[in-house]
PDB file of all heavy atoms in Angstrom:
ATOM      1  N   ALA A 458      -3.286   5.675  27.732  1.00  0.00           N
ATOM      2  CA  ALA A 458      -3.446   5.525  26.288  1.00  0.00           C
ATOM      3  C   ALA A 458      -2.809   4.200  25.884  1.00  0.00           C
ATOM      4  O   ALA A 458      -1.661   3.917  26.239  1.00  0.00           O
ATOM      5  CB  ALA A 458      -2.774   6.676  25.559  1.00  0.00           C
ATOM      6  N   VAL A 459      -3.553   3.390  25.142  1.00  0.00           N
ATOM      7  CA  VAL A 459      -3.062   2.085  24.691  1.00  0.00           C
ATOM      8  C   VAL A 459      -3.011   2.099  23.173  1.00  0.00           C
ATOM      9  O   VAL A 459      -3.942   2.572  22.509  1.00  0.00           O
ATOM     10  CB  VAL A 459      -3.982   0.943  25.184  1.00  0.00           C
ATOM     11  CG1 VAL A 459      -3.465  -0.410  24.690  1.00  0.00           C
ATOM     12  CG2 VAL A 459      -4.081   0.947  26.701  1.00  0.00           C
ATOM     13  N   SER A 460      -1.895   1.576  22.604  1.00  0.00           N
ATOM     14  CA  SER A 460      -1.765   1.537  21.137  1.00  0.00           C
ATOM     15  C   SER A 460      -1.481   0.116  20.682  1.00  0.00           C
ATOM     16  O   SER A 460      -0.826  -0.659  21.382  1.00  0.00           O
ATOM     17  CB  SER A 460      -0.646   2.470  20.677  1.00  0.00           C
ATOM     18  OG  SER A 460       0.570   2.129  21.321  1.00  0.00           O
ATOM     19  N   ASP A 461      -1.958  -0.219  19.478  1.00  0.00           N
ATOM     20  CA  ASP A 461      -1.804  -1.576  18.957  1.00  0.00           C
ATOM     21  C   ASP A 461      -0.467  -1.704  18.215  1.00  0.00           C
ATOM     22  O   ASP A 461       0.318  -0.737  18.153  1.00  0.00           O
ATOM     23  CB  ASP A 461      -3.014  -1.938  18.089  1.00  0.00           C
ATOM     24  CG  ASP A 461      -3.013  -1.232  16.732  1.00  0.00           C
ATOM     25  OD1 ASP A 461      -2.051  -0.514  16.412  1.00  0.00           O
ATOM     26  OD2 ASP A 461      -3.996  -1.420  15.980  1.00  0.00           O
ATOM     27  N   PRO A 462      -0.159  -2.879  17.624  1.00  0.00           N
ATOM     28  CA  PRO A 462       1.144  -3.053  16.964  1.00  0.00           C
ATOM     29  C   PRO A 462       1.418  -2.043  15.854  1.00  0.00           C
ATOM     30  O   PRO A 462       2.578  -1.741  15.552  1.00  0.00           O
ATOM     31  CB  PRO A 462       1.068  -4.476  16.405  1.00  0.00           C
ATOM     32  CG  PRO A 462       0.115  -5.183  17.298  1.00  0.00           C
ATOM     33  CD  PRO A 462      -0.896  -4.160  17.700  1.00  0.00           C
ATOM     34  N   GLN A 463       0.373  -1.513  15.238  1.00  0.00           N
ATOM     35  CA  GLN A 463       0.555  -0.511  14.176  1.00  0.00           C
ATOM     36  C   GLN A 463       0.542   0.919  14.721  1.00  0.00           C
ATOM     37  O   GLN A 463       0.582   1.871  13.948  1.00  0.00           O
ATOM     38  CB  GLN A 463      -0.556  -0.662  13.132  1.00  0.00           C
ATOM     39  CG  GLN A 463      -0.390  -1.879  12.208  1.00  0.00           C
ATOM     40  CD  GLN A 463      -0.739  -3.191  12.895  1.00  0.00           C
ATOM     41  OE1 GLN A 463      -1.705  -3.258  13.654  1.00  0.00           O
ATOM     42  NE2 GLN A 463       0.066  -4.219  12.660  1.00  0.00           N
ATOM     43  N   GLY A 464       0.471   1.052  16.045  1.00  0.00           N
ATOM     44  CA  GLY A 464       0.472   2.379  16.649  1.00  0.00           C
ATOM     45  C   GLY A 464      -0.892   3.041  16.729  1.00  0.00           C
ATOM     46  O   GLY A 464      -1.009   4.191  17.149  1.00  0.00           O
ATOM     47  N   ARG A 465      -1.945   2.326  16.328  1.00  0.00           N
ATOM     48  CA  ARG A 465      -3.297   2.898  16.381  1.00  0.00           C
ATOM     49  C   ARG A 465      -3.842   2.794  17.804  1.00  0.00           C
ATOM     50  O   ARG A 465      -3.521   1.850  18.534  1.00  0.00           O
ATOM     51  CB  ARG A 465      -4.228   2.143  15.419  1.00  0.00           C
ATOM     52  CG  ARG A 465      -3.814   2.285  13.951  1.00  0.00           C
ATOM     53  CD  ARG A 465      -4.638   1.386  13.063  1.00  0.00           C
ATOM     54  NE  ARG A 465      -4.502  -0.019  13.440  1.00  0.00           N
ATOM     55  CZ  ARG A 465      -4.499  -1.037  12.579  1.00  0.00           C
ATOM     56  NH1 ARG A 465      -4.623  -0.788  11.283  1.00  0.00           N
ATOM     57  NH2 ARG A 465      -4.373  -2.271  12.988  1.00  0.00           N
ATOM     58  N   PRO A 466      -4.694   3.746  18.199  1.00  0.00           N
ATOM     59  CA  PRO A 466      -5.229   3.713  19.567  1.00  0.00           C
ATOM     60  C   PRO A 466      -6.182   2.534  19.772  1.00  0.00           C
ATOM     61  O   PRO A 466      -6.904   2.131  18.852  1.00  0.00           O
ATOM     62  CB  PRO A 466      -5.969   5.052  19.698  1.00  0.00           C
ATOM     63  CG  PRO A 466      -6.215   5.514  18.308  1.00  0.00           C
ATOM     64  CD  PRO A 466      -5.123   4.952  17.453  1.00  0.00           C
ATOM     65  N   VAL A 467      -6.134   1.992  20.974  1.00  0.00           N
ATOM     66  CA  VAL A 467      -6.995   0.876  21.377  1.00  0.00           C
ATOM     67  C   VAL A 467      -7.867   1.359  22.532  1.00  0.00           C
ATOM     68  O   VAL A 467      -7.366   1.994  23.469  1.00  0.00           O
ATOM     69  CB  VAL A 467      -6.156  -0.339  21.831  1.00  0.00           C
ATOM     70  CG1 VAL A 467      -7.050  -1.458  22.365  1.00  0.00           C
ATOM     71  CG2 VAL A 467      -5.289  -0.851  20.680  1.00  0.00           C
ATOM     72  N   ALA A 468      -9.154   1.074  22.456  1.00  0.00           N
ATOM     73  CA  ALA A 468     -10.062   1.493  23.538  1.00  0.00           C
ATOM     74  C   ALA A 468      -9.628   0.853  24.847  1.00  0.00           C
ATOM     75  O   ALA A 468      -9.319  -0.343  24.905  1.00  0.00           O
ATOM     76  CB  ALA A 468     -11.486   1.073  23.193  1.00  0.00           C
ATOM     77  N   SER A 469      -9.585   1.661  25.906  1.00  0.00           N
ATOM     78  CA  SER A 469      -9.191   1.142  27.226  1.00  0.00           C
ATOM     79  C   SER A 469      -9.959   1.902  28.292  1.00  0.00           C
ATOM     80  O   SER A 469     -10.545   2.953  28.031  1.00  0.00           O
ATOM     81  CB  SER A 469      -7.684   1.295  27.441  1.00  0.00           C
ATOM     82  OG  SER A 469      -7.340   2.659  27.530  1.00  0.00           O
ATOM     83  N   GLN A 470      -9.952   1.365  29.507  1.00  0.00           N
ATOM     84  CA  GLN A 470     -10.574   2.055  30.626  1.00  0.00           C
ATOM     85  C   GLN A 470      -9.913   1.601  31.915  1.00  0.00           C
ATOM     86  O   GLN A 470      -9.284   0.543  31.967  1.00  0.00           O
ATOM     87  CB  GLN A 470     -12.079   1.775  30.693  1.00  0.00           C
ATOM     88  CG  GLN A 470     -12.396   0.384  31.195  1.00  0.00           C
ATOM     89  CD  GLN A 470     -13.880   0.114  31.336  1.00  0.00           C
ATOM     90  OE1 GLN A 470     -14.649   0.319  30.412  1.00  0.00           O
ATOM     91  NE2 GLN A 470     -14.282  -0.374  32.488  1.00  0.00           N
ATOM     92  N   VAL A 471     -10.045   2.411  32.942  1.00  0.00           N
ATOM     93  CA  VAL A 471      -9.579   2.046  34.274  1.00  0.00           C
ATOM     94  C   VAL A 471     -10.799   1.887  35.164  1.00  0.00           C
ATOM     95  O   VAL A 471     -11.696   2.732  35.169  1.00  0.00           O
ATOM     96  CB  VAL A 471      -8.624   3.116  34.844  1.00  0.00           C
ATOM     97  CG1 VAL A 471      -8.266   2.796  36.286  1.00  0.00           C
ATOM     98  CG2 VAL A 471      -7.362   3.202  33.997  1.00  0.00           C
ATOM     99  N   SER A 472     -10.869   0.774  35.875  1.00  0.00           N
ATOM    100  CA  SER A 472     -11.976   0.576  36.812  1.00  0.00           C
ATOM    101  C   SER A 472     -11.409   0.110  38.142  1.00  0.00           C
ATOM    102  O   SER A 472     -10.206  -0.172  38.267  1.00  0.00           O
ATOM    103  CB  SER A 472     -12.981  -0.439  36.260  1.00  0.00           C
ATOM    104  OG  SER A 472     -12.494  -1.752  36.422  1.00  0.00           O
ATOM    105  N   LEU A 473     -12.270  -0.010  39.114  1.00  0.00           N
ATOM    106  CA  LEU A 473     -11.863  -0.424  40.452  1.00  0.00           C
ATOM    107  C   LEU A 473     -11.892  -1.950  40.504  1.00  0.00           C
ATOM    108  O   LEU A 473     -12.894  -2.566  40.123  1.00  0.00           O
ATOM    109  CB  LEU A 473     -12.823   0.166  41.485  1.00  0.00           C
ATOM    110  CG  LEU A 473     -12.283   0.454  42.885  1.00  0.00           C
ATOM    111  CD1 LEU A 473     -11.016   1.304  42.835  1.00  0.00           C
ATOM    112  CD2 LEU A 473     -13.353   1.135  43.720  1.00  0.00           C
ATOM    113  N   GLY A 474     -10.800  -2.552  40.956  1.00  0.00           N
ATOM    114  CA  GLY A 474     -10.746  -4.007  41.048  1.00  0.00           C
ATOM    115  C   GLY A 474     -11.461  -4.519  42.285  1.00  0.00           C
ATOM    116  O   GLY A 474     -11.985  -3.762  43.096  1.00  0.00           O
ATOM    117  N   CYS A 475     -11.485  -5.859  42.414  1.00  0.00           N
ATOM    118  CA  CYS A 475     -12.093  -6.474  43.604  1.00  0.00           C
ATOM    119  C   CYS A 475     -11.185  -6.224  44.805  1.00  0.00           C
ATOM    120  O   CYS A 475      -9.973  -6.104  44.661  1.00  0.00           O
ATOM    121  CB  CYS A 475     -12.245  -7.978  43.405  1.00  0.00           C
ATOM    122  SG  CYS A 475     -13.278  -8.407  42.015  1.00  0.00           S
ATOM    123  N   PRO A 476     -11.750  -6.183  46.014  1.00  0.00           N
ATOM    124  CA  PRO A 476     -10.912  -6.055  47.208  1.00  0.00           C
ATOM    125  C   PRO A 476      -9.917  -7.207  47.260  1.00  0.00           C
ATOM    126  O   PRO A 476     -10.250  -8.343  46.939  1.00  0.00           O
ATOM    127  CB  PRO A 476     -11.925  -6.147  48.362  1.00  0.00           C
ATOM    128  CG  PRO A 476     -13.228  -5.769  47.750  1.00  0.00           C
ATOM    129  CD  PRO A 476     -13.181  -6.208  46.327  1.00  0.00           C
ATOM    130  N   ASN A 477      -8.680  -6.885  47.659  1.00  0.00           N
ATOM    131  CA  ASN A 477      -7.609  -7.861  47.602  1.00  0.00           C
ATOM    132  C   ASN A 477      -7.354  -8.520  48.940  1.00  0.00           C
ATOM    133  O   ASN A 477      -7.926  -8.119  49.956  1.00  0.00           O
ATOM    134  CB  ASN A 477      -6.325  -7.173  47.120  1.00  0.00           C
ATOM    135  CG  ASN A 477      -5.983  -7.606  45.706  1.00  0.00           C
ATOM    136  OD1 ASN A 477      -6.356  -8.691  45.290  1.00  0.00           O
ATOM    137  ND2 ASN A 477      -5.303  -6.762  44.972  1.00  0.00           N
ATOM    138  N   PRO A 478      -6.467  -9.518  48.976  1.00  0.00           N
ATOM    139  CA  PRO A 478      -6.117 -10.130  50.255  1.00  0.00           C
ATOM    140  C   PRO A 478      -5.543  -9.084  51.213  1.00  0.00           C
ATOM    141  O   PRO A 478      -5.079  -8.023  50.781  1.00  0.00           O
ATOM    142  CB  PRO A 478      -5.043 -11.160  49.865  1.00  0.00           C
ATOM    143  CG  PRO A 478      -5.243 -11.406  48.415  1.00  0.00           C
ATOM    144  CD  PRO A 478      -5.793 -10.147  47.843  1.00  0.00           C
ATOM    145  N   PRO A 479      -5.569  -9.390  52.518  1.00  0.00           N
ATOM    146  CA  PRO A 479      -5.023  -8.440  53.503  1.00  0.00           C
ATOM    147  C   PRO A 479      -3.596  -8.039  53.149  1.00  0.00           C
ATOM    148  O   PRO A 479      -2.797  -8.856  52.700  1.00  0.00           O
ATOM    149  CB  PRO A 479      -5.065  -9.244  54.812  1.00  0.00           C
ATOM    150  CG  PRO A 479      -6.109 -10.288  54.596  1.00  0.00           C
ATOM    151  CD  PRO A 479      -6.093 -10.606  53.144  1.00  0.00           C
ATOM    152  N   GLY A 480      -3.288  -6.767  53.332  1.00  0.00           N
ATOM    153  CA  GLY A 480      -1.948  -6.278  53.024  1.00  0.00           C
ATOM    154  C   GLY A 480      -1.830  -5.664  51.648  1.00  0.00           C
ATOM    155  O   GLY A 480      -0.829  -5.041  51.315  1.00  0.00           O
ATOM    156  N   HIS A 481      -2.837  -5.850  50.794  1.00  0.00           N
ATOM    157  CA  HIS A 481      -2.824  -5.251  49.456  1.00  0.00           C
ATOM    158  C   HIS A 481      -3.972  -4.241  49.371  1.00  0.00           C
ATOM    159  O   HIS A 481      -5.086  -4.520  49.795  1.00  0.00           O
ATOM    160  CB  HIS A 481      -3.017  -6.325  48.363  1.00  0.00           C
ATOM    161  CG  HIS A 481      -1.892  -7.309  48.287  1.00  0.00           C
ATOM    162  ND1 HIS A 481      -0.706  -7.047  47.664  1.00  0.00           N
ATOM    163  CD2 HIS A 481      -1.781  -8.557  48.789  1.00  0.00           C
ATOM    164  CE1 HIS A 481       0.088  -8.105  47.757  1.00  0.00           C
ATOM    165  NE2 HIS A 481      -0.541  -9.033  48.440  1.00  0.00           N
ATOM    166  N   THR A 482      -3.674  -3.081  48.802  1.00  0.00           N
ATOM    167  CA  THR A 482      -4.740  -2.089  48.630  1.00  0.00           C
ATOM    168  C   THR A 482      -5.635  -2.505  47.467  1.00  0.00           C
ATOM    169  O   THR A 482      -5.227  -3.274  46.602  1.00  0.00           O
ATOM    170  CB  THR A 482      -4.139  -0.705  48.334  1.00  0.00           C
ATOM    171  OG1 THR A 482      -3.283  -0.822  47.191  1.00  0.00           O
ATOM    172  CG2 THR A 482      -3.334  -0.200  49.517  1.00  0.00           C
ATOM    173  N   GLN A 483      -6.853  -1.967  47.446  1.00  0.00           N
ATOM    174  CA  GLN A 483      -7.762  -2.260  46.340  1.00  0.00           C
ATOM    175  C   GLN A 483      -7.224  -1.589  45.082  1.00  0.00           C
ATOM    176  O   GLN A 483      -7.056  -0.369  45.046  1.00  0.00           O
ATOM    177  CB  GLN A 483      -9.165  -1.751  46.673  1.00  0.00           C
ATOM    178  CG  GLN A 483     -10.204  -2.200  45.670  1.00  0.00           C
ATOM    179  CD  GLN A 483     -11.615  -1.891  46.131  1.00  0.00           C
ATOM    180  OE1 GLN A 483     -11.804  -1.234  47.134  1.00  0.00           O
ATOM    181  NE2 GLN A 483     -12.604  -2.365  45.400  1.00  0.00           N
ATOM    182  N   PRO A 484      -6.905  -2.348  44.042  1.00  0.00           N
ATOM    183  CA  PRO A 484      -6.200  -1.768  42.901  1.00  0.00           C
ATOM    184  C   PRO A 484      -7.174  -1.133  41.899  1.00  0.00           C
ATOM    185  O   PRO A 484      -8.356  -1.475  41.840  1.00  0.00           O
ATOM    186  CB  PRO A 484      -5.527  -2.981  42.273  1.00  0.00           C
ATOM    187  CG  PRO A 484      -6.489  -4.104  42.547  1.00  0.00           C
ATOM    188  CD  PRO A 484      -7.154  -3.788  43.871  1.00  0.00           C
ATOM    189  N   PHE A 485      -6.611  -0.212  41.101  1.00  0.00           N
ATOM    190  CA  PHE A 485      -7.271   0.159  39.858  1.00  0.00           C
ATOM    191  C   PHE A 485      -6.878  -0.894  38.820  1.00  0.00           C
ATOM    192  O   PHE A 485      -5.768  -1.427  38.844  1.00  0.00           O
ATOM    193  CB  PHE A 485      -6.800   1.540  39.372  1.00  0.00           C
ATOM    194  CG  PHE A 485      -7.199   2.668  40.283  1.00  0.00           C
ATOM    195  CD1 PHE A 485      -6.292   3.680  40.587  1.00  0.00           C
ATOM    196  CD2 PHE A 485      -8.469   2.724  40.833  1.00  0.00           C
ATOM    197  CE1 PHE A 485      -6.652   4.727  41.409  1.00  0.00           C
ATOM    198  CE2 PHE A 485      -8.842   3.775  41.661  1.00  0.00           C
ATOM    199  CZ  PHE A 485      -7.932   4.781  41.959  1.00  0.00           C
ATOM    200  N   LEU A 486      -7.782  -1.200  37.896  1.00  0.00           N
ATOM    201  CA  LEU A 486      -7.491  -2.164  36.840  1.00  0.00           C
ATOM    202  C   LEU A 486      -7.597  -1.479  35.485  1.00  0.00           C
ATOM    203  O   LEU A 486      -8.604  -0.836  35.179  1.00  0.00           O
ATOM    204  CB  LEU A 486      -8.480  -3.337  36.889  1.00  0.00           C
ATOM    205  CG  LEU A 486      -8.320  -4.330  38.041  1.00  0.00           C
ATOM    206  CD1 LEU A 486      -9.393  -5.398  37.957  1.00  0.00           C
ATOM    207  CD2 LEU A 486      -6.942  -4.976  38.029  1.00  0.00           C
ATOM    208  N   LEU A 487      -6.528  -1.616  34.684  1.00  0.00           N
ATOM    209  CA  LEU A 487      -6.558  -1.159  33.297  1.00  0.00           C
ATOM    210  C   LEU A 487      -7.095  -2.299  32.439  1.00  0.00           C
ATOM    211  O   LEU A 487      -6.584  -3.426  32.484  1.00  0.00           O
ATOM    212  CB  LEU A 487      -5.146  -0.781  32.838  1.00  0.00           C
ATOM    213  CG  LEU A 487      -4.990  -0.486  31.340  1.00  0.00           C
ATOM    214  CD1 LEU A 487      -5.780   0.774  30.952  1.00  0.00           C
ATOM    215  CD2 LEU A 487      -3.519  -0.332  30.970  1.00  0.00           C
ATOM    216  N   LEU A 488      -8.146  -2.015  31.667  1.00  0.00           N
ATOM    217  CA  LEU A 488      -8.779  -3.030  30.830  1.00  0.00           C
ATOM    218  C   LEU A 488      -8.660  -2.638  29.363  1.00  0.00           C
ATOM    219  O   LEU A 488      -8.908  -1.492  28.999  1.00  0.00           O
ATOM    220  CB  LEU A 488     -10.277  -3.164  31.170  1.00  0.00           C
ATOM    221  CG  LEU A 488     -10.687  -3.296  32.627  1.00  0.00           C
ATOM    222  CD1 LEU A 488     -12.207  -3.341  32.742  1.00  0.00           C
ATOM    223  CD2 LEU A 488     -10.083  -4.538  33.249  1.00  0.00           C
TER     224      LEU A 488
END
Side-chain angles (χ1 to χ4, degrees):
V459 179
S460 56
D461 74 4
Q463 285 75 40
R465 296 172 301 215
V467 175
S469 67
Q470 74 177 52
V471 174
S472 78
L473 209 52
C475 300
N477 252 334
H481 295 280
T482 55
Q483 189 170 7
F485 294 137
L486 288 179
L487 171 66
L488 312 177

